[in-house]
Amino acid sequence: MVKETLSGPAAAEMELGTVLRALSDEHRRAVMVELAADEEDRERTCNSFDLPISKQTQTHHFRALREVGLICEIDYGNRKGIRLRRSDIDVRFPGLLGILAAEARKPEHAHG
Amino acid sequence: MVKETLSGPAAAEMELGTVLRALSDEHRRAVMVELAADEEDRERTCNSFDLPISKQTQTHHFRALREVGLICEIDYGNRKGIRLRRSDIDVRFPGLLGILAAEARKPEHAHG
DNA sequence: CATCAGGTACGACACGCATCGTACCTAGGA
DNA sequence: TCCTAGGTACGATGCGTGTCGTACCTGATG
């Protein structure tokens, strides 16, 4: 019941290089595309993204996204919540989330 | 005197993953930041970017930028011209060049 | 033709990092 | 208390790729 929120750098301290490198990985980008496409910014769980990789690797990727400032993680002890830092990203890199959200509307990303 | 233009994929065929990977390298990103910041879209030479790397590595990077669709190269035989594919990028990834151009206005990128 | 500068081709190397195996931690429920 | 599911820590590994050395090509200049 600790609910400690883990955040990365402040909006102004985000670096374009590290952000782009984080987004160059297909699995991390898939996570960000889903988050960017959700206009309601719902909190997600790690499992809800259906990543075809092991638990350890998921930990690695979510940590990477957090450390560059794209998401924050809420620690519930035995599970974790994922939240997009939409307002911070919109301030620091306006247009970035729009590019990602557009990917969710491309045919090859339609899962239903 | 051949002046053959080498281009990558068409605008619609550009892939976000490969584009972001190309931009995750600091030297390629430095090139793109300069190109994006020039509102007149002047043709550049490879040397004009003052990259602190060898000729061979520059060839490698410019080829990478061309193959993902960000620039086109004009082959003059014993030298090469570099052009930003601004309109194609603006169609496929609106906002991307704005993010890059904003980097040119950051203090740590001020060279003069 | 000789020379030179810009650029490419090929190969080699070193480092980063995505991935996973094993082991351990945390909270909730039976 | 034990079990289970979600998550982390640490180490090992394999691949991608940024980098450069050497050699060669191209066009301009003298």
Side-chain angles (χ1 to χ4, degrees):
Chain A
M1 196 65 90
V2 183
K3 195 179 162 80
E4 181 178 8
T5 297
L6 306 172
S7 288
E13 272 68 39
M14 290 189 198
E15 296 179 10
L16 182 57
T18 59
V19 166
L20 293 180
R21 181 131 53 94
L23 292 174
S24 69
D25 179 87
E26 65 168 327
H27 297 131
R28 288 194 291 258
R29 194 170 59 255
V31 168
M32 289 301 298
V33 164
E34 282 197 42
L35 289 173
D38 179 16
E39 300 175 353
E40 302 182 25
D41 286 335
R42 282 175 282 244
E43 182 175 321
R44 299 282 296 266
T45 66
C46 298
N47 285 343
S48 68
F49 295 98
D50 284 325
L51 297 177
I53 50 180
S54 68
K55 293 191 303 180
Q56 311 93 294
T57 305
Q58 291 191 36
T59 294
H60 167 70
H61 285 316
F62 285 114
R63 178 207 297 241
L65 289 175
R66 166 170 54 87
E67 288 184 343
V68 303
L70 290 172
I71 65 172
C72 62
E73 300 176 283
I74 302 101
D75 187 359
Y76 294 104
N78 64 342
R79 66 191 169 89
K80 219 166 49 178
I82 304 296
R83 270 199 181 280
L84 178 65
R85 292 180 58 183
R86 183 180 293 274
S87 58
D88 289 331
I89 300 171
D90 282 341
V91 167
R92 181 66 182 82
F93 304 114
L96 181 58
L97 290 179
I99 293 172
L100 291 171
E103 286 292 298
R105 297 189 289 272
K106 289 193 65 180
E108 60 261 37
H109 291 277
H111 288 289
Chain B
M1 195 65 90
V2 183
K3 196 178 161 79
E4 182 179 7
T5 297
L6 306 172
S7 288
E13 273 67 40
M14 289 189 198
E15 296 179 10
L16 182 58
T18 59
V19 166
L20 292 179
R21 181 133 53 90
L23 293 174
S24 70
D25 179 85
E26 66 167 327
H27 297 132
R28 289 194 291 257
R29 194 170 59 254
V31 168
M32 289 300 299
V33 164
E34 282 199 41
L35 290 173
D38 179 16
E39 301 176 352
E40 304 183 25
D41 285 336
R42 281 175 284 245
E43 181 175 321
R44 299 282 296 267
T45 67
C46 297
N47 284 344
S48 68
F49 294 98
D50 285 324
L51 297 176
I53 51 180
S54 67
K55 292 191 303 178
Q56 310 94 295
T57 305
Q58 291 191 35
T59 295
H60 166 70
H61 285 316
F62 285 114
R63 179 208 295 242
L65 289 175
R66 167 171 53 86
E67 289 184 341
V68 303
L70 290 172
I71 66 172
C72 61
E73 299 176 284
I74 301 101
D75 188 359
Y76 294 103
N78 65 342
R79 66 192 167 89
K80 219 167 47 178
I82 304 295
R83 271 201 181 279
L84 178 66
R85 292 180 57 183
R86 183 181 292 275
S87 58
D88 289 331
I89 300 171
D90 281 341
V91 167
R92 181 66 181 81
F93 304 115
L96 181 58
L97 290 179
I99 294 172
L100 291 170
E103 286 293 298
R105 296 188 290 271
K106 289 192 65 179
E108 60 261 36
H109 291 278
H111 287 290

